[in-house]
C-alpha cells in the first residue's frame, strides 16, 4: 500500500505553546488529507478534511482557530495545535487519499503522533 | 455517525481462522464495505474492501451477504501479530469521502 509518514511520532510541549505535526504522502499525490484524534481506548474521531490548495473543512465542535490545518502541496499537510493545553493531549493521526499508483479511494494512514501537554 | 455494528471483542486461537462479523443494514447502493485494523499505538492499516462480491487478498477475505446488510472479515490463519482493533466502515467508493470509524472489534489472538 501507499506510504504516509507523520512527524513527529511523539512530542511533549509546555502548556501555552504551539505544536506542528506534519503528514507526508511519500509515493503518491494526496488530493485530500484527513486529521483524526484518538483518546485512550476510544475510536478515531475525525477533526477536519483538507483538500490541496483550499481551506480545511472542520467537523462540528472542532475549533478551527485552535487546530490550524494547512495543505499547501499534494504531498504535505500540517496540523498546528495552537496554545496547547493539557486537555489537548491525545493521539493525532493523519490519513491521505490521492492519485498515483493506487486506487484513489483507499485512505492510507500515518503512524500517528502522541502529543503530551504538560 | 458510524453506520456499522460490530461486537466489542473477540478471542481466537493462534493458527485458527478469525471470523469478524459486521452489520451494516442501512448500507446504500453506492457504498462499499471497508476493513481497517489498528494495532496498539499505531495508525490504522487498510485490509480489504468490497461492494457485493467476495474479495480476497494476501491479508484476508471479505464475505458480503447477498443483501449486503452484513459482512464477515476472515483472517485465515491468525497469528499473535493479528491482535488489534478491527474496524468495519461503509463508504462511497468515489471522490474523497471521509472514513467514519465506529467502535470496532478488539480481536485478541490466544497462543
Amino acid at each position: 500500500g501507499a506510504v504516509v509518514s507523520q512527524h513527529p511520532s511523539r512530542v511533549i510541549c509546555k502548556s501555552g505553546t504551539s505544536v506542528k505535526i506534519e503528514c507526508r504522502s511519500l509515493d503518491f499525490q494526496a488530493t485530500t488529507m484527513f486529521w483524526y484524534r484518538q483518546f485512550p481506548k476510544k475510536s478515531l474521531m475525525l477533526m477536519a478534511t483538507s483538500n490541496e490548495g483550499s481551506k480545511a473543512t472542520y467537523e462540528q465542535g472542532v475549533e478551527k482557530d485552535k487546530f490550524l490545518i494547512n495543505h499547501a502541496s499534494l504531498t504535505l499537510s500540517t496540523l498546528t495545535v495552537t496554545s496547547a493545553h493539557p486537555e489537548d493531549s491525545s493521539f493525532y493521526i493523519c490519513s491521505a487519499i490521492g492519485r498515483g499508483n493506487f486506487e484513489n479511494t483507499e485512505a492510507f494512514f500515518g503512524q500517528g503522533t502522541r502529543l503530551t501537554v504538560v | 455517525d458510524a453506520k456499522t455494528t460490530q461486537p466489542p471483542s473477540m478471542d481466537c486461537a493462534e493458527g485458527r481462522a478469525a471470523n469478524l462479523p459486521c452489520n451494516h443494514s442501512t448500507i446504500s447502493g453506492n457504498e462499499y464495505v471497508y476493513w481497517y485494523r489498528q494495532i496498539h499505538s499505531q495508525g490504522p492499516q487498510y485490509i480489504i474492501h468490497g461492494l457485493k462480491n467476495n474479495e480476497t487478498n494476501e491479508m484476508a477475505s471479505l464475505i458480503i451477504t447477498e443483501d449486503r446488510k452484513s459482512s464477515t472479515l476472515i483472517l485465515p490463519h491468525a497469528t499473535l501479530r493479528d491482535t488489534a482493533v478491527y474496524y468495519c466502515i461503509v463508504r462511497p467508493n468515489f471522490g474523497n469521502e471521509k472514513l467514519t470509524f465506529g467502535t470496532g472489534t478488539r480481536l485478541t489472538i490466544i497462543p
Side-chain angles (χ1 to χ4, degrees):
Chain A
V3 179
V4 175
S5 177
Q6 204 171 324
H7 178 81
S9 57
R10 287 180 181 273
V11 59
I12 301 173
C13 73
K14 290 185 177 180
S15 189
T17 62
S18 296
V19 174
K20 180 184 285 188
I21 302 170
E22 293 188 347
C23 180
R24 294 181 184 273
S25 55
L26 298 186
D27 50 3
F28 69 104
Q29 294 179 323
T31 52
T32 302
M33 285 188 173
F34 304 96
W35 286 94
Y36 294 83
R37 67 187 297 182
Q38 185 176 33
F39 292 107
K41 300 190 177 182
K42 298 294 185 181
S43 188
L44 284 77
M45 289 175 39
L46 181 66
M47 299 175 67
T49 301
S50 74
N51 293 298
E52 185 265 338
S54 62
K55 290 184 178 180
T57 302
Y58 290 80
E59 295 296 304
Q60 191 172 8
V62 178
E63 299 176 59
K64 62 180 181 180
D65 294 330
K66 180 166 184 65
F67 299 99
L68 302 178
I69 292 172
N70 184 280
H71 191 168
S73 78
L74 284 172
T75 59
L76 173 65
S77 176
T78 60
L79 167 67
T80 301
V81 183
T82 62
S83 186
H85 291 285
E87 57 265 30
D88 298 324
S89 298
S90 188
F91 192 52
Y92 292 88
I93 308 168
C94 72
S95 173
I97 297 176
R99 301 188 294 268
N101 296 325
F102 305 93
E103 257 189 291
N104 68 346
T105 54
E106 294 168 33
F108 297 97
F109 288 80
Q111 67 270 41
T113 297
R114 185 160 303 284
L115 170 64
T116 303
V117 184
V118 298
Chain B
D1 293 331
K3 297 174 63 175
T4 62
T5 304
Q6 298 177 253
S9 63
M10 290 181 63
D11 292 340
C12 177
E14 187 179 15
R16 305 296 295 267
N19 297 282
L20 292 93
C22 179
N23 285 324
H24 32 80
S25 58
T26 61
I27 192 170
S28 301
N30 67 346
E31 288 180 319
Y32 283 58
V33 180
Y34 282 77
W35 283 84
Y36 283 77
R37 72 180 182 184
Q38 185 179 26
I39 295 170
H40 183 63
S41 294
Q42 296 182 23
Q45 177 189 22
Y46 167 80
I47 302 173
I48 199 167
H49 75 283
L51 181 63
K52 54 183 178 181
N53 297 322
N54 297 336
E55 302 288 344
T56 295
N57 63 19
E58 65 279 4
M59 289 183 69
S61 294
L62 174 60
I63 309 298
I64 302 174
T65 58
E66 192 169 342
D67 63 7
R68 302 210 320 125
K69 293 185 176 182
S70 65
S71 61
T72 301
L73 179 75
I74 301 173
L75 307 179
H77 305 286
T79 71
L80 297 179
R81 286 180 291 183
D82 292 322
T83 292
V85 178
Y86 287 76
Y87 295 98
C88 167
I89 300 167
V90 295
R91 168 178 172 260
N93 199 40
F94 59 83
N96 296 322
E97 296 290 329
K98 61 188 177 184
L99 286 164
T100 300
F101 287 78
T103 52
T105 295
R106 183 172 298 276
L107 175 67
T108 303
I109 306 302
I110 310 296

